[in-house]
Amino acid sequence: MNDCPAHPSAGGDSPARPAADAASAGGSPGPAPDGTGGTGGTGGTGGSASGHRAAEADPEAADPGAALGTDPGADAAPALFTWEFATDPYPAYAWLRTHSPVHRTTLPSGVEAWLVTRYEDARQALADARLSKDPAHHAGPSDAKGKTGIPGERKAELTTHLLNIDPPDHTRLRRLVSKAFTPRRVAAFAPRVQELTDRLIDGFADRGQADLIHDFAFPLPIYAICDLLGVPEEDQDDFRDWAGMMIRHGGGPRGGVARSVKKMRGYLAELIHRKRENPGDDLISDLIRASDHGEHLTENEAAAMAFILLFAGFETTVNLIGNGVYALLCHPEQRERLQRSLAAGESGLLATGIEELLRYDGPVELATWRYATVPLTLGGEEIGAGDPVLVVLAAADRDPERFPDPDRLDLARSDNQHLGYGHGIHYCLGAPLARLEGQTALATLLGRLPDLRLAVEPGELRRRGGLIMRGLRALPVEFGPGRPPAEGDTPSTL
């Protein structure tokens, strides 16, 4: 079952959920490349760009004929945001890099935006102060402005977070939260991440099969970020339910995302009040202490910060683990090479391997929204003031001008300055935590379940719909009897 497609995203004729249903997008702190903190993932607490879609309509109810992409020729632009595109966007991105590297398009939501696909242009855009994160700079009509950002964040008054602001407010808030993601503090959190990882694997190891998204990749970052924020253990399952509704998008009841955001907002407000009366050794308590000592952090800012760390951080890690495991199952020679290295007690290939998996089929497809504050030139195109700009990380990280043989997975790739964690002042605060969770998850899975294999044909796998994030809806696997956790299983690279 390891004969996966050439691209780990390819799924044959599977009706993959199209990115076309994304009415909005946001940023994230996992390796989400837009500078928040979180558990792995865009830039966010793990690299930031975040993955937010407002897709509450069911894309699978669409006309299948409308979901067919075109085979891009030398002159024909590829179809974007179709089912075929969502399954494997890399050929279309290659065409754009060659023929229209800064490409104006109409998104499925109706919002017009520029897509930036070349590596050098992407680096420039991610660090360009003329491209603001503040949605107030969007020159589009009011209905278009409502189709950017995280679903429900405006009504819940959760917009004042790192993914929506510029200096000096961005500088102030980033300084407050950055202490939670120093390499030293993350290293101290490593035993807890290992404990959570082993506990989750214990839950399915005897079954001989599992859905690695539902049973492992999804709950691991939720519980980890809840611990980091200071959410009591008895409340963490509520967070898991709310987060599940958020990433389910079109798969849940209508309005479910907005209701989940509202419930989370109410809970965070209550938790902040409790922490003010009884602070602990956690991030929310640290934010309250900073505010009480003159850092001028409002309650809305504290709630928005906690919200974005959770919401933006966890989904990037879900996708990092899911996409990473799938890529290894599709490349047995690379997976076996990593297993041999781990069995020998080495950590070097694990460290470079995580970075390569982020580059090759990362959790964040597009960085979160930016808006031109003045007219500017990017990649030879004139960008108007107020125009939205979306940096396509997945395209930039496969640019052959920057990465030799970019469509090949090479876990030992050393010169790998990918953009999965962003670039510039919005570089992911949570990158150290993202690396820790990704390394721990992969090393422990491969060590405890050495014969892990796909339980379905690759063409049966489906991608979640959305504009920003890139992840699998499910990852069914099979395995023989595993072994129990052993002390020192996971070599530390921090």
Side-chain angles (χ1 to χ4, degrees):
M1 303 289 285
N2 281 329
D3 295 328
C4 297
H7 296 294
S9 53
D13 58 359
S14 165
R17 296 173 74 85
D21 289 296
S24 70
S28 158
D34 281 83
T36 58
T39 80
T42 120
T45 131
S48 195
S50 44
H52 313 311
R53 321 160 182 82
E56 301 235 10
D58 185 357
E60 295 184 3
D63 175 11
L68 298 177
T70 60
D71 182 15
D75 300 318
L80 303 178
F81 314 120
T82 64
W83 287 359
E84 185 177 88
F85 172 85
T87 301
D88 184 9
Y90 296 105
Y93 289 149
W95 190 96
L96 290 176
R97 280 195 309 266
T98 300
H99 299 284
S100 184
V102 178
H103 182 75
R104 188 172 180 87
T105 189
T106 300
L107 303 174
S109 61
V111 176
E112 293 189 358
W114 294 92
L115 302 180
V116 182
T117 58
R118 286 181 180 167
Y119 182 88
E120 288 303 326
D121 294 336
R123 273 179 61 94
Q124 175 188 335
L126 290 171
D128 196 328
R130 297 171 299 175
L131 292 175
S132 170
K133 298 292 293 171
D134 187 347
H137 290 289
H138 187 188
S142 57
D143 64 325
K145 293 181 180 181
K147 295 174 181 177
T148 63
I150 302 171
E153 67 175 0
R154 289 176 175 81
K155 289 184 178 180
E157 298 182 349
L158 290 169
T159 57
T160 53
H161 53 70
L162 289 175
L163 299 180
N164 286 344
I165 57 177
D166 303 316
D169 285 337
H170 176 271
T171 307
R172 173 175 60 89
L173 293 181
R174 185 179 174 98
R175 184 179 65 248
L176 288 176
V177 76
S178 63
K179 299 172 186 176
F181 300 102
T182 62
R184 177 177 296 181
R185 186 157 185 176
V186 169
F189 196 54
R192 177 56 175 162
V193 174
Q194 185 66 61
E195 177 187 350
L196 289 169
T197 300
D198 281 318
R199 189 180 78 189
L200 290 168
I201 294 175
D202 288 343
F204 58 77
D206 292 337
R207 298 203 310 255
Q209 60 182 8
D211 173 2
L212 284 186
I213 302 299
H214 180 269
D215 296 326
F216 184 66
F218 175 70
L220 176 58
I222 284 290
Y223 293 140
I225 195 64
C226 281
D227 281 356
L228 199 66
L229 290 172
V231 176
E233 189 170 347
E234 60 269 21
D235 296 339
Q236 292 185 7
D237 283 339
D238 288 336
F239 267 75
R240 179 173 175 169
D241 290 343
W242 297 329
M245 179 59 67
M246 290 176 189
I247 73 166
R248 210 177 306 161
H249 308 293
R254 181 170 296 277
V257 173
R259 285 195 297 273
S260 292
V261 172
K262 185 176 181 180
K263 289 177 182 178
M264 189 177 290
R265 173 65 174 89
Y267 176 84
L268 288 172
E270 178 188 344
L271 182 62
I272 288 169
H273 285 299
R274 279 192 277 160
K275 295 287 185 182
R276 191 177 294 278
E277 296 294 325
N278 187 25
D281 183 20
D282 55 70
L283 182 52
I284 290 180
S285 297
D286 287 349
L287 292 174
I288 292 170
R289 291 188 191 98
S291 181
D292 290 344
H293 286 82
E295 290 284 0
H296 310 297
L297 185 73
T298 68
E299 182 178 302
N300 273 352
E301 287 175 332
M305 182 69 74
F307 168 73
I308 199 63
L309 292 179
L310 176 104
F311 185 56
F314 89 90
E315 190 175 1
T316 52
T317 303
V318 174
N319 295 344
L320 170 60
I321 297 170
N323 294 357
V325 171
Y326 183 46
L328 291 176
L329 295 179
C330 289
H331 296 81
E333 75 292 343
Q334 293 290 314
R335 174 255 192 92
E336 291 163 8
R337 184 181 182 188
L338 180 56
Q339 286 178 307
R340 289 195 301 269
S341 174
L342 293 170
E346 299 168 352
S347 61
L349 191 62
L350 178 63
T352 59
I354 284 292
E355 304 307 315
E356 175 69 346
L357 292 169
L358 282 160
R359 182 201 68 82
Y360 182 73
D361 195 35
V364 183
E365 192 162 340
L366 283 72
T368 50
W369 297 83
R370 285 167 167 78
Y371 310 90
T373 57
V374 295
L376 58 95
T377 302
L378 183 61
E381 297 289 347
E382 299 300 321
I383 311 295
D387 283 359
V389 174
L390 292 166
V391 177
V392 187
L393 305 178
D397 280 343
R398 293 222 189 175
D399 188 341
E401 294 296 316
R402 177 60 186 83
F403 301 100
D405 201 1
D407 293 325
R408 179 172 64 90
L409 180 69
D410 178 7
L411 298 184
R413 191 183 295 266
S414 56
D415 182 15
N416 194 356
Q417 297 180 30
H418 63 78
L419 299 176
Y421 293 128
H423 177 64
I425 65 169
H426 291 283
Y427 181 83
C428 171
L429 272 174
L433 183 57
R435 289 185 174 103
L436 170 66
E437 290 187 332
Q439 291 174 6
T440 303
L442 290 183
T444 309
L445 274 174
L446 294 178
R448 293 191 57 185
L449 306 173
D451 66 340
L452 193 71
R453 57 193 179 275
L454 282 175
V456 298
E457 293 299 326
E460 297 179 46
L461 296 176
R462 298 180 180 182
R463 295 280 175 175
R464 287 197 300 274
L467 186 66
I468 297 296
M469 300 297 290
R470 177 165 178 76
L472 293 163
R473 296 173 62 187
L475 184 57
V477 294
E478 299 172 333
F479 42 85
R483 65 168 177 80
E487 187 173 350
D489 262 354
T490 308
S492 173
T493 62
L494 296 174

